[in-house]
Amino acid sequence: MTTDVRVPAPSATLPAPAPRRGRGTAMVGKGAVNAALIVIAACYVIPLLWVVLAAFNATAGLSVSWPDPWTLENFSAVLDEETTFRPMRNGFILCGGATLLTMLCAVLAAYPLSRYRSRFRRPFLLTILFMTGLPITAIMVPVYGLFVQLNLIDTYTGTILFMSTTALPIAIWLSKNFMDSVPIEVEEAAWTDGASAMQALRTIVLPLMWPGLSVVALYTFIGLWGNFFVPFVLLQSNDQLPASVSIYTFFSQYAGVIYGQLAAYSMLYSLPAVLLYLVLSRRLSGAFTFGGSVKG
Amino acid sequence: MTSMTLEAGTPRRSSGRRALLRGLPLGPAVILLAVFLGGPILYCIYAAFTDMALTGSSGIDFVGVENFAKAFTSPEFGRAVLYTLFFTVVSAIIGQNVLGMILALLMRSGSAPVRATVSAIVVGAWVLPEVVAGYLWLTFLGPDGSLNAILASIGVPTQNWLYTTPILAVAIANIWRGTAFSMLVYSAALSDVPTEIVEAAKVDGAGTWRTLFSITLPMIRRSIATNLMLITLQTLSVFGLIWAMTKGGPSSKSTTLPIFAYEQAFSFSQLGYGTAIALILLLIGGIFSLFYLRILRLEENTS
C-alpha cells in the first residue's frame, strides 16, 4: 500500500487521484506565488511613495510624510516657461527628431537584413547586437572631443544625430525581428507585378508591421527621453537643455530647500515616458524575444 | 557572393552589383554608425595615446602608453575597476538576471490581476528617467528616508546608507531600475517553451525544480546568454543613476569607471587620460560580449 503511493506511478494506472492532488498543490502553489509577487511589488513601491506624497505636500522634506493638506502648490510653482515648459519642449524636439531619424534608418536597414541571404548578414547582425550594448558612456569623452573639432558642440543637429546613432542598433535589431514575422509570400506577388523592393516595402510590408514599428518607435523615444548623459555633455547653453538635464541642474541649485517642487517636477518629467509606456504595454513583450536571435 | 552566383546561375558581375543594390538601404544606418559610433571609437584609440587637455587645443603630443601606465599604477583607477566589477556582478549578473527570472517564472503561475499589477509596477520603475530613479533612491536611503523609518520601527539603528554602503546602495538602486528588462526577455522566452515538453517531464515524475533546471532553463539558454550580454554592457555604462545619487562619493567609494573617466576628462581637464580610461571600459565591455557571443557560437556548432 505505502510503496504503491511512494513510487511515482504511471498516470494511466492511477487516473483518479492524480488530478485531484495536482489541483490541491496547484491552489496552494498559486497562493504562495501571488504572495511572493505581492511582496516583490511592495518592495518596488516603497521608494516610489516619497515622490508621490512629497509632490502634493507644500512642506515636504526628505522623509515620507502624509501631505496635510493635499495641495497643488508645488506643481504651480514649477509650471513656468523657465523650469518646465522650455526644457520639456526641448526634450520633445530632441527626442522626437532623433526618434524619427532612427526609425527611418532602422526600417531601411531592416529590409535587406530580413529579406536577403548573404554571407555578410550574420557578421553584420552580430556587430549590431554587440553595438546595442556598447557602453555609450565610454565614448562620450571622445565624442565631446570630436564634436568640438566638428563645431557640433551645443547644437541640436549634432545632438540629434548622435542620439539617433546610440538608439539605432537596438532599433535595427527590433525592426528586423518584427519584419521577419511578415511572410515574404505577400511581397512576391507584388514583385511579379513589377514593383521594386522599396515599393513593396512601403506599400505592403510597412502597413503590415505597423504595430511592431510603433513598439520600436515608442521604445526608442522613452529611452532617449530618460537619457541624461548625452545631452549633459553635448549641450551647454541653458536655454537648449532638455528636461533630463534641467531636472538635474534644478536639483543641484535648490538642493535641500524645495523637495516638494523637485518631486512635482520629477513627476511632470516622468509623465510622457509613463504615458507612452501605457500605450505600448500590451504589445511590448513580443519585442523581447531573443530566442533564435543570432541564427542564420 | 560566390554562393549567390551558384544559386541564381547568373554571371558573377551582375550578381555582385545586385548584391550591392540590395544592400543600399543599409546606407543611412551604416553611415550614421560609422561616423558617430565608429568615429569616436577610433578617435578614442588615438586620443588615449596623447596628452590632450580640455583647455587650449595647442600642442597635443603623442605620449605613447603613458596614460595607460598612469592608470595601471594609480590606486584610484584600481579601486574604480573593482567598484565597476562589483557593481556589474551584483546589480546585473546576479540581481537583475536572477530577480528577472524569478519574476518571469512566478508570473506564469500567478493570478491575472496580481500579474498585471506587478508587471506594471516593475516596468514603471524601468520607464522612469534615470535621474528621477536616482533621486527616489537618494531620498529612500537618506538619513530621514523610508528605509530608516522602517528599520527604526523594528529597532535597527538608523544610518545614512549612501555614506556607509555607497556602492551597494547604487547597485541595489540599479537592480530596482533595470530588472524589468530581464523580466520581459525571460517572459517572452518562457512563453516560447512548448508546454507539452514540460508536461511530459512532470508525467515522468520530475519535480518542479528538476523540470526547471533540466528542461526549462536549458531550452531558453540562448535568451539567457543574450540577455546577460545586454544587461552586463548596459550596467557597465550606468552614469546618470550613480551621478544623481552619490556623484561617485563619498571619497570615491562609488566611483565606477564611467564616473572616473568623466571626472578625469571634464573636472580635471585631462582629456587624454579620461579617454584612455574610457578605452579600457570599452575593452572590458568587448571582452564580456565576446565571452557571451562565444557561448552562443559554441551552442550553434554543437546543436
Side-chain angles (χ1 to χ4, degrees):
Chain A
M1 198 53 190
T2 40
T3 39
D4 274 352
V5 178
R6 274 203 208 122
V7 172
S11 56
T13 53
L14 271 176
R20 200 192 304 152
R21 199 181 52 194
R23 204 183 303 153
T25 38
M27 291 246 299
V28 173
K30 195 156 193 167
V33 164
N34 283 338
L37 282 173
I38 289 168
V39 168
I40 296 175
C43 295
Y44 261 82
V45 167
I46 294 171
L48 280 170
L49 276 181
W50 176 81
V51 76
V52 178
L53 294 178
F56 296 99
N57 186 347
T59 56
L62 274 174
S63 58
V64 173
S65 58
W66 201 252
D68 184 32
W70 287 73
T71 167
L72 290 175
E73 250 174 66
N74 292 322
F75 288 97
S76 57
V78 293
L79 275 176
D80 57 44
E81 173 71 15
E82 182 89 358
T83 318
T84 304
F85 298 134
R86 195 179 57 203
M88 295 280 251
R89 203 165 51 231
N90 290 343
F92 278 113
I93 296 171
L94 277 176
C95 304
T99 303
L100 282 180
L101 184 59
T102 305
M103 289 313 293
L104 183 69
C105 296
V107 167
L108 286 175
Y111 189 76
L113 289 175
S114 168
R115 290 301 186 243
Y116 306 128
R117 314 274 142 216
S118 151
R119 67 193 160 118
F120 298 111
R121 203 174 75 121
R122 199 182 128 82
F124 191 87
L125 280 173
L126 282 178
T127 315
I128 293 283
L129 188 64
F130 174 68
M131 283 196 281
T132 56
L134 206 67
I136 296 300
T137 328
I139 59 166
M140 281 322 288
V141 176
V143 165
Y144 178 85
L146 187 76
F147 270 44
V148 169
Q149 301 212 330
L150 294 176
N151 250 335
L152 282 172
I153 208 81
D154 204 22
T155 64
Y156 272 14
T157 321
T159 313
I160 287 176
L161 285 171
F162 185 70
M163 283 172 105
S164 300
T165 313
T166 62
L168 201 50
I170 190 82
I172 293 178
W173 183 263
L174 295 175
S175 307
K176 184 238 161 214
N177 280 357
F178 280 120
M179 208 176 276
D180 283 346
S181 59
V182 176
I184 196 163
E185 290 77 23
V186 199
E187 266 173 279
E188 277 164 357
W191 287 341
T192 48
D193 287 348
S196 73
M198 283 301 108
Q199 277 167 337
L201 172 66
R202 205 180 62 237
T203 57
I204 294 166
V205 184
L206 285 189
L208 280 175
M209 59 180 292
W210 200 239
L213 283 185
S214 63
V215 169
V216 186
L218 292 177
Y219 183 79
T220 306
F221 186 90
I222 292 174
L224 292 173
W225 183 257
N227 191 320
F228 162 75
F229 200 40
V230 172
F232 180 59
V233 170
L234 295 184
L235 293 172
Q236 286 156 347
S237 354
N238 241 338
D239 54 349
Q240 295 216 29
L241 295 181
S244 57
V245 182
S246 74
I247 187 173
Y248 170 77
T249 49
F250 178 82
F251 183 69
S252 344
Q253 255 168 354
Y254 304 110
V257 199
I258 41 173
Y259 287 109
Q261 291 186 24
L262 176 73
Y265 188 27
S266 297
M267 283 184 79
L268 289 172
Y269 162 49
S270 309
L271 204 61
V274 174
L275 287 181
L276 287 179
Y277 166 71
L278 289 180
V279 178
L280 179 73
S281 56
R282 298 196 147 265
R283 302 168 181 160
L284 197 64
S285 71
F288 290 92
T289 340
F290 286 115
S293 49
V294 277
K295 271 191 190 152
Chain B
M1 236 142 285
T2 329
S3 64
M4 273 190 165
T5 319
L6 288 176
E7 266 170 42
T10 43
R12 192 194 184 102
R13 213 178 49 201
S14 88
S15 161
R17 214 166 56 205
R18 203 182 58 186
L20 203 69
L21 208 64
R22 285 175 157 188
L24 204 62
L26 284 169
V30 169
I31 290 171
L32 270 186
L33 290 171
V35 173
F36 291 103
L37 217 53
I41 292 173
L42 290 180
Y43 193 75
C44 193
I45 295 171
Y46 155 76
F49 294 96
T50 67
D51 64 350
M52 197 181 284
L54 203 56
T55 44
S57 54
S58 61
I60 297 170
D61 287 319
F62 195 74
V63 293
V65 295
E66 197 179 280
N67 287 324
F68 294 95
K70 186 174 165 190
F72 286 122
T73 53
S74 129
E76 289 92 13
F77 172 80
R79 272 212 311 254
V81 171
L82 287 182
Y83 285 135
T84 310
L85 290 179
F86 178 87
F87 181 69
T88 308
V89 171
V90 169
S91 76
I93 299 177
I94 298 174
Q96 295 183 5
N97 181 42
V98 174
L99 186 60
M101 178 63 85
I102 290 174
L103 278 168
L105 286 168
L106 289 178
M107 292 284 194
R108 286 170 72 72
S109 37
S111 45
V114 176
R115 227 162 43 202
T117 318
V118 174
S119 76
I121 291 169
V122 173
V123 178
W126 178 57
V127 170
L128 282 186
E130 56 179 346
V131 182
V132 173
Y135 291 150
L136 285 182
W137 277 83
L138 184 72
T139 57
F140 178 65
L141 297 173
D144 300 325
S146 317
L147 182 64
N148 277 324
I150 295 168
L151 290 178
S153 69
I154 55 169
V156 178
T158 64
Q159 51 186 309
N160 187 346
W161 297 97
L162 290 170
Y163 276 91
T164 47
T165 55
I167 188 71
L168 189 63
V170 291
I172 291 175
N174 193 51
I175 297 176
W176 182 84
R177 186 174 131 78
T179 299
F181 183 82
S182 302
M183 183 187 80
L184 292 167
V185 171
Y186 291 147
S187 293
L190 286 174
S191 66
D192 282 349
V193 175
T195 41
E196 301 86 55
I197 298 180
V198 180
E199 297 286 310
K202 289 232 166 93
V203 168
D204 287 347
T208 312
W209 294 107
R210 184 73 200 281
T211 318
L212 176 65
F213 285 105
S214 320
I215 311 280
T216 315
L217 292 187
M219 286 197 72
I220 61 166
R221 57 188 184 264
R222 300 181 61 86
S223 297
I224 298 178
T226 314
N227 180 52
L228 274 174
M229 174 174 101
L230 294 178
I231 60 174
T232 304
L233 290 170
Q234 278 162 15
T235 305
L236 276 177
S237 59
V238 166
F239 181 87
L241 185 75
I242 302 179
W243 193 251
M245 282 175 73
T246 65
K247 282 216 166 93
S251 53
S252 305
K253 278 192 195 144
S254 56
T255 299
T256 56
L257 283 175
I259 308 264
F260 191 66
Y262 175 83
E263 279 182 337
Q264 297 304 323
F266 295 109
S267 305
F268 306 127
S269 304
Q270 296 172 300
L271 219 49
Y273 185 43
T275 312
I277 293 157
L279 192 62
I280 295 170
L281 178 62
L282 218 53
L283 285 177
I284 295 178
I287 291 168
F288 269 108
S289 308
L290 284 180
F291 175 71
Y292 294 126
L293 286 176
R294 181 99 210 145
I295 297 178
L296 287 176
R297 196 173 193 116
L298 284 176
E299 274 297 312
E300 214 141 274
N301 291 342
T302 49
S303 62

